[in-house]
């Protein structure tokens, strides 16, 4: 294989996001985000937003490849929780992107701008989202993704299976 093609293939492997995703691994990651967010709110340790934000950006860009938490959840913890439950990857990647934006904004607001209240509001939103995902398997980002598909912002070809998350949930 020509070197350029191999490089492109290697980059797709590194910068790819799994599809499908094991929902059990996603819920493990959400549980750690929930615990981290609660710790930030309880202690005021806004510096913890830096590794949390890194984790989100790593997962958005590479799935579990460059995320130590993602790798641990996928390779070690989720397999111990029983058979995988696969769900579409694109909505999970979108949800990770929302987490990346929220935690990055909270870190910038709290650490660089001194706007602690605004940072804590964003962290509280992370508590809600991560709590719903980890405890009840309700992914707010996935629901937002489905809504964006319904109004045509996200094209149907991105994830045909995702087009009607509401009926999938009812069938489950």
């Amino acid at each position: 294989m020509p070197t350029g093609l191999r490089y492109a293939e290697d980059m797709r492997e590194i910068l790819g996001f799994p599809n499908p995703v094991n929902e059990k691994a996603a819920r493990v990651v959400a549980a750690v985000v929930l615990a981290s967010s609660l710790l930030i709110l309880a202690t005021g340790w806004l510096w913890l937003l830096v590794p949390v934000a890194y984790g989100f950006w790593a997962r958005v860009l590479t799935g579990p490849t460059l995320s130590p938490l993602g790798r641990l959840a996928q390779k070690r913890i989720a397999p111990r929780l029983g058979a995988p439950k696969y769900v579409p990857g694109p909505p999970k990647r979108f949800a990770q992107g929302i987490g990346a934006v929220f935690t990055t904004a909270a870190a910038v607001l709290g650490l660089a701008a001194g706007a602690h209240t605004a940072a804590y509001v964003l962290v509280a939103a992370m508590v809600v989202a991560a709590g719903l995902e980890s405890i009840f398997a309700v992914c707010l980002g996935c629901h937002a993704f489905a809504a964006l598909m319904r109004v045509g912002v996200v094209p149907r070809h991105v994830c045909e299976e995702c087009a009607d998350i509401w009926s999938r949930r009812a069938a489950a």
Side-chain angles (χ1 to χ4, degrees):
M1 175 181 309
T3 306
L5 291 177
R6 181 65 195 152
Y7 175 77
E9 198 174 289
D10 289 343
M11 289 310 291
R12 268 193 303 274
E13 233 174 80
I14 292 171
L15 295 178
F17 194 89
N19 188 23
V21 171
N22 183 352
E23 184 180 50
K24 292 179 180 181
R27 290 179 71 185
V28 168
V29 169
V32 174
V33 170
L34 172 61
S36 301
S37 298
L38 288 170
L39 184 63
I40 291 165
L41 291 176
T43 63
W45 294 344
L46 291 173
W47 62 268
L48 280 176
L49 286 164
V50 174
V52 174
Y54 164 79
F56 275 114
W57 284 110
R59 289 185 297 277
V60 166
L61 296 172
T62 70
T65 305
L66 296 179
S67 167
L69 174 57
R71 290 182 75 101
L72 178 69
Q74 182 183 22
K75 301 287 186 194
R76 299 280 183 227
I77 299 172
R80 288 174 165 61
L81 299 176
K85 179 178 184 232
Y86 291 109
V87 295
K92 292 295 186 188
R93 186 177 209 176
F94 181 78
Q96 291 293 312
I98 293 171
V101 169
F102 271 51
T103 55
T104 301
V108 169
L109 287 168
L111 298 172
H116 296 153
T117 301
Y120 292 134
V121 167
L122 291 174
V123 174
M126 294 302 301
V127 167
V128 172
L132 287 170
E133 171 72 9
S134 64
I135 299 166
F136 301 109
V138 174
C139 176
L140 295 180
C142 298
H143 286 286
F145 185 88
L148 291 172
M149 285 189 76
R150 277 195 299 280
V151 298
V153 174
V154 175
R156 282 205 174 295
H157 75 274
V158 170
C159 184
E160 290 294 333
E161 186 182 348
C162 306
D164 191 3
I165 193 169
W166 303 106
S167 68
R168 257 191 317 128
R169 187 153 293 286

